[in-house]
Amino acid sequence: MKRNMTGLSSHVFLRRGGRTCVSARRPSRRTRNMRRTCLILHFTPGSAFTEPSGFRVAARTSLCEREEPTMANLSQVAQGERTARMALSMIVEPDDAVTGRLLGEVGAVEVLRLAERDDGVPGLGTVDARVWRAQFERPDAQTHSQRIVEAQRMGIGVLIPGDQDWPSALDDLGDRRPYVLWTRGASSFLARPLREFVTITGARAATSYGEHVAGELASDLANAERVVVAGGAYGIEGAAHRAALASGGDTIAVMANGVDRPYPMGHRELLERVADLGLMVSEVPPGAVPTRHRFLARARLMAALSAATVVVEAGVRSGSMAVARRAHELGRAVGAVPGPVSSATSVGPHQLLRDRIASLVAAPTGSPRRWVPPPGGCSTRSGRCSTPPRWWMSPSPATSPSTTCCSASRSS
């Protein structure tokens, strides 16, 4: 339908959803930098179009952009700190230092209010504040409210700082600690002392040697009443979960996606068993899919949750290397299992050993076995090392010899 307006030649297009878009341009065709304006006219579907007056007109500099729903009522969803943090995890990507700093200074409810207003943000300039607020341009508050109710209906747990089961070890991350933890399973595991957690990570495309070593290590740790932490991936981490469950031990799967969507799908049955007998935990909300950023962000959680991280096999650019480096930055113990020099999956552990980031982890034959535990000693819930582990970690410059315990003189 063609229509003339004062000083403009324009075309009016009727769009689905009761929206009319008038695309107009200046009469001159000689100007290269031609400006185009899209007039979006909102009217009642089925009514006659007569004059533009009486309609709400929104001018845009781009062609016929669809208006995004505003978040004017988002703060109304946040009836408290817990609900506000749940909503934040649905909007803001994890490992955001600015959001983490604001959470520590003003709380989650005030953070949502700051995102809605146009005034200044503490500690940010005008441009930085605009960039920070841009990530809040997501679906409306009603959508988040429905997702929160659905998560509660599914029995998914939520932990925030200050809860009894909140792992205080994550507070070492400072402004980068998670806004909230979504859990499936025994969240009480997270309240245990830091020294009882050991993270086992490694290559997805692991060799049979690597999977065997990871399984043996996880089984011995489970028998020693340690909690085996891994990421549920193929290869080394899957072998660690299976061995811990087979030994009747405790294990935690730290996910880069929602706890209601086991990933990878090939480990669905395994991860469901972890949720039934152990714990699945994630900082992203139910329904979230894994992305590269979320995998990288998860590395800091796997490193911070445990007092020691052991890399069994890994390529030089493996995500397991990021876990080891984050653990080293946090002052946690790091161990690496050596492998054949001809194997590409041995490059990562060997590099950690060469750079003095990790200590050697092995099970020697015919010599005294020593286990150098995470800082704080090797006492468990029973107050002693119930089973002398077969594995030992060679002392490194960052490891004090006084932490050695559980010696055993018998050979394999």
Side-chain angles (χ1 to χ4, degrees):
M1 163 177 165
K2 191 171 183 179
R3 188 176 184 85
N4 291 327
M5 300 175 67
T6 305
L8 296 174
S9 297
S10 63
H11 294 272
V12 178
F13 302 95
L14 298 181
R15 301 181 65 185
R16 185 169 56 184
R19 178 167 297 185
T20 301
C21 177
V22 181
S23 180
R25 64 183 182 181
R26 301 176 68 87
S28 176
R29 296 178 181 272
R30 298 181 179 178
T31 305
R32 295 183 60 183
N33 299 325
M34 187 182 303
R35 295 189 57 189
R36 294 186 178 183
T37 305
C38 178
L39 303 179
I40 303 176
L41 308 181
H42 301 268
F43 65 97
T44 304
S47 61
F49 181 82
T50 54
E51 295 293 336
S53 59
F55 296 95
R56 182 168 61 88
V57 181
R60 295 183 180 271
T61 58
S62 59
L63 287 176
C64 305
E65 291 184 5
R66 187 177 182 85
E67 286 185 308
E68 294 293 337
T70 60
M71 49 168 291
N73 297 321
L74 184 57
S75 60
Q76 298 177 3
V77 176
Q79 301 176 355
E81 184 73 9
R82 183 178 306 274
T83 311
R85 284 179 175 267
M86 294 166 70
L88 268 177
S89 72
M90 297 176 180
I91 301 170
V92 183
E93 285 295 320
D95 198 19
D96 183 77
V98 174
T99 302
R101 177 181 61 79
L102 292 174
L103 280 173
E105 293 178 357
V106 301
V109 176
E110 184 61 25
V111 167
L112 293 179
R113 291 173 180 166
L114 284 172
E116 292 176 343
R117 299 197 299 258
D118 293 330
D119 53 356
V121 177
L124 296 181
T126 304
V127 176
D128 291 337
R130 189 177 306 147
V131 172
W132 177 74
R133 285 193 171 104
Q135 61 189 330
F136 288 84
E137 297 178 359
R138 302 292 174 86
D140 59 357
Q142 185 65 26
T143 301
H144 299 307
S145 178
Q146 293 172 354
R147 293 178 66 185
I148 292 173
V149 172
E150 180 66 15
Q152 295 172 342
R153 185 190 65 80
M154 296 172 61
I156 296 175
V158 174
L159 293 176
I160 65 173
D163 286 349
Q164 181 178 359
D165 293 336
W166 176 265
S168 58
L170 295 183
D171 297 339
D172 294 343
L173 294 172
D175 293 340
R176 296 187 180 276
R177 75 176 178 179
Y179 323 130
V180 66
L181 290 178
W182 302 84
T183 63
R184 280 183 62 193
S187 60
S188 58
F189 286 179
L190 297 173
R192 291 168 60 172
L194 173 64
R195 63 177 177 268
E196 297 187 13
F197 293 84
V198 177
T199 294
I200 299 178
T201 186
R204 290 174 172 82
T207 64
S208 57
Y209 160 79
E211 292 190 4
H212 172 75
V213 171
E216 290 290 316
L217 177 58
S219 179
D220 283 353
L221 288 170
N223 290 332
E225 298 183 5
R226 301 294 178 91
V227 180
V228 176
V229 179
Y234 294 125
I236 299 301
E237 295 177 350
H241 286 306
R242 281 190 291 268
L245 292 173
S247 301
D250 300 330
T251 185
I252 298 176
V254 183
M255 311 303 295
N257 50 276
V259 294
D260 61 328
R261 303 180 60 167
Y263 180 88
M265 288 300 296
H267 276 179
R268 183 180 185 88
E269 182 178 352
L270 172 63
L271 292 173
E272 290 292 347
R273 288 183 58 208
V274 171
D276 291 338
L277 304 175
L279 175 66
M280 284 178 61
V281 63
S282 177
E283 62 179 327
V284 295
V289 298
T291 62
R292 174 176 173 79
H293 171 76
R294 291 169 182 172
F295 277 118
L296 294 175
R298 181 188 62 169
R300 79 194 197 286
L301 300 186
M302 295 178 63
L305 275 175
S306 299
T309 294
V310 179
V311 179
V312 179
E313 285 187 326
V316 68
R317 299 180 62 184
S318 170
S320 302
M321 298 290 285
V323 179
R325 291 192 175 95
R326 293 304 300 269
H328 180 68
E329 293 170 0
L330 291 169
R332 309 290 201 258
V334 180
V337 178
V341 295
S342 58
S343 175
T345 56
S346 299
V347 176
H350 292 173
Q351 180 176 332
L352 293 174
L353 293 170
R354 182 196 65 195
D355 296 341
R356 293 180 173 266
I357 293 177
S359 299
L360 182 71
V361 176
T365 302
S367 61
R369 301 184 190 127
R370 299 179 300 161
W371 168 254
V372 179
C378 66
S379 61
T380 61
R381 286 172 292 175
S382 59
R384 60 183 179 84
C385 290
S386 57
T387 304
R390 297 186 296 113
W391 300 86
W392 63 275
M393 183 184 297
S394 65
S396 66
T399 305
S400 172
S402 62
T403 61
T404 304
C405 73
C406 300
S407 298
S409 59
R410 60 187 179 87
S411 59
S412 297

